[in-house]
Amino acid sequence: MQRIIEQTSAIHPHPKSFDGPQAWTARDFSGPSNWLLSVSDETRRELKLAIAHARLHRFEPALLQRENFPLPSLAVTSAEIRRRLRDGIGFVVLRGLALDDYSEDESRLLYAGLGTHLGTILPQNLRGDKLYSVRDEGIRVEAEYGRTGVRFSKSSAAFDFHTDSPSRVAGHTPDVIGLLVLRTAKAGGDSALVSGYALHNILREQRPHVLRRLYQPFWVDRRAELPPGEEPVLPVPVFAFDGRLRVRYLRFYITKGQEWQGEPLSGADVAALDVFEEVMRRPGVSVQIPLERGDIQLINNTFLLHSRTSYEDYTDPEWKRHYLRLWLADRAA
C-alpha cells in the first residue's frame, strides 16, 4: 500500500497578525461589487465562436486545451482573476455569461474552455471526471459513508465550512474551485466564505492553544474516492505555513479518519475543533455570496473555507438545483 507523507509545520513563527487583502472579514466588504467581475461583450462573442469551433471539431469538455478554445479578449480579465485569487481576497464571481443562449452541453464546453484559461483542470473522482455535478442525488452521508462516491455534494443537506478535498480525494487537492450555476434551488442553498487568515488572527489573539493544536495533524478519511493502493487515512494539519498560509479542513472526514485509525478524537481535540467552528460562525466573520443562474464563483481553496445552507428543491427534475464544479491547479503555484 502506498504511503503518503504530509508535511506538517510548527505554529506560525511570525509574532504579528496577518494583514493584507487575504485577511478579510465580512466587515471589509461593502457589497457584491467587491467580488463581481463582468464578462465583456467582446468575450461573449468570442465564447460563441469558441463553442462553435469546439463542436465542429467534436472536442469533449474534459479534453479541451487552452489552444482549442481561443479567447484573446479574456487575457486581461483572466490575469486579474488569477491575481485576485492568489494575492487578493481569494474569490471572484464572474457574471454576464448569457447562459440562456446555450444548451447544457454548450454550457459545459463554455465552462471547461474558460477553465483552461485559468489553470490546469484536475479530475475530481476515480472515474476521472473533470466536470462534476453538484446536485441532490438522495445521498445520506452519515448512513452510507465508506462507499465510493458518497459525498456531501450529492445531498441537499447543509454543509458546514470546509475546504474541498482536504484528504486528496482521487489524489488531488485543488488550488481553486469553480462553481457554475446552471440552476438555483427553490429555496436555500446559500453560499458563504470565510478567510483562513482572519480565523488564524482571531485564534492567535484569543485562543493560541487551539491554534497550536490545529497546526498538528489529524487523521483524515479518504474513502469517498480512494485511489487504488493508497491508504484510507492521511495525517493532515488544519493549518500549515510555508511562506503562505494553507488551510485544509472537513470535520466529518477528521472524525471518521480518527475513528478508522483507532484514535477517536479526544475531549481536548473536540473542544479545539468546536472553538474553530464557533469562530467561523461569528457574526461579521464570514461573508454571504448571492449567486444567480450563469454565475461562476471561483475561490482559492488553499486559504478560504466555504459552506452551503440546506435547500429545498423543485420536484421537476428539469428545475432542480444544479451546479457544475471545476477543480483547478494554479499553474503559477
PDB file of all heavy atoms in Angstrom, residues 7 23 125 230 247 307:
ATOM      1  N   GLN A   7       3.497  16.984   4.864  1.00  0.00           N
ATOM      2  CA  GLN A   7       4.368  17.869   5.622  1.00  0.00           C
ATOM      3  C   GLN A   7       3.554  18.617   6.666  1.00  0.00           C
ATOM      4  O   GLN A   7       2.485  19.133   6.378  1.00  0.00           O
ATOM      5  CB  GLN A   7       5.052  18.865   4.691  1.00  0.00           C
ATOM      6  CG  GLN A   7       6.054  19.758   5.395  1.00  0.00           C
ATOM      7  CD  GLN A   7       6.754  20.686   4.428  1.00  0.00           C
ATOM      8  OE1 GLN A   7       6.370  20.779   3.274  1.00  0.00           O
ATOM      9  NE2 GLN A   7       7.775  21.359   4.907  1.00  0.00           N
ATOM     10  N   ALA A  23      -6.606  38.656   4.573  1.00  0.00           N
ATOM     11  CA  ALA A  23      -7.046  38.515   5.972  1.00  0.00           C
ATOM     12  C   ALA A  23      -8.335  39.289   6.227  1.00  0.00           C
ATOM     13  O   ALA A  23      -8.484  39.961   7.243  1.00  0.00           O
ATOM     14  CB  ALA A  23      -5.942  38.987   6.907  1.00  0.00           C
ATOM     15  N   ASN A 125     -12.836  12.622  -9.228  1.00  0.00           N
ATOM     16  CA  ASN A 125     -13.234  11.319  -8.683  1.00  0.00           C
ATOM     17  C   ASN A 125     -12.425  10.231  -9.382  1.00  0.00           C
ATOM     18  O   ASN A 125     -11.596  10.514 -10.261  1.00  0.00           O
ATOM     19  CB  ASN A 125     -14.743  11.089  -8.812  1.00  0.00           C
ATOM     20  CG  ASN A 125     -15.232  11.218 -10.250  1.00  0.00           C
ATOM     21  OD1 ASN A 125     -14.480  11.017 -11.203  1.00  0.00           O
ATOM     22  ND2 ASN A 125     -16.495  11.562 -10.419  1.00  0.00           N
ATOM     23  N   GLU A 230      -3.668   3.150  -2.196  1.00  0.00           N
ATOM     24  CA  GLU A 230      -3.330   4.210  -1.247  1.00  0.00           C
ATOM     25  C   GLU A 230      -4.054   3.991   0.082  1.00  0.00           C
ATOM     26  O   GLU A 230      -5.047   3.277   0.151  1.00  0.00           O
ATOM     27  CB  GLU A 230      -3.668   5.581  -1.833  1.00  0.00           C
ATOM     28  CG  GLU A 230      -2.795   5.941  -3.028  1.00  0.00           C
ATOM     29  CD  GLU A 230      -2.945   7.388  -3.451  1.00  0.00           C
ATOM     30  OE1 GLU A 230      -3.663   8.138  -2.754  1.00  0.00           O
ATOM     31  OE2 GLU A 230      -2.343   7.770  -4.468  1.00  0.00           O
ATOM     32  N   VAL A 247      -4.839  26.067   4.538  1.00  0.00           N
ATOM     33  CA  VAL A 247      -5.880  25.513   5.406  1.00  0.00           C
ATOM     34  C   VAL A 247      -6.488  24.304   4.708  1.00  0.00           C
ATOM     35  O   VAL A 247      -6.816  24.364   3.517  1.00  0.00           O
ATOM     36  CB  VAL A 247      -6.995  26.552   5.679  1.00  0.00           C
ATOM     37  CG1 VAL A 247      -8.004  25.996   6.673  1.00  0.00           C
ATOM     38  CG2 VAL A 247      -6.413  27.860   6.186  1.00  0.00           C
ATOM     39  N   SER A 307     -19.096  27.223   2.707  1.00  0.00           N
ATOM     40  CA  SER A 307     -20.218  26.467   3.279  1.00  0.00           C
ATOM     41  C   SER A 307     -21.449  26.647   2.404  1.00  0.00           C
ATOM     42  O   SER A 307     -21.489  27.508   1.518  1.00  0.00           O
ATOM     43  CB  SER A 307     -20.523  26.932   4.709  1.00  0.00           C
ATOM     44  OG  SER A 307     -21.109  28.222   4.695  1.00  0.00           O
TER      45      SER A 307
END
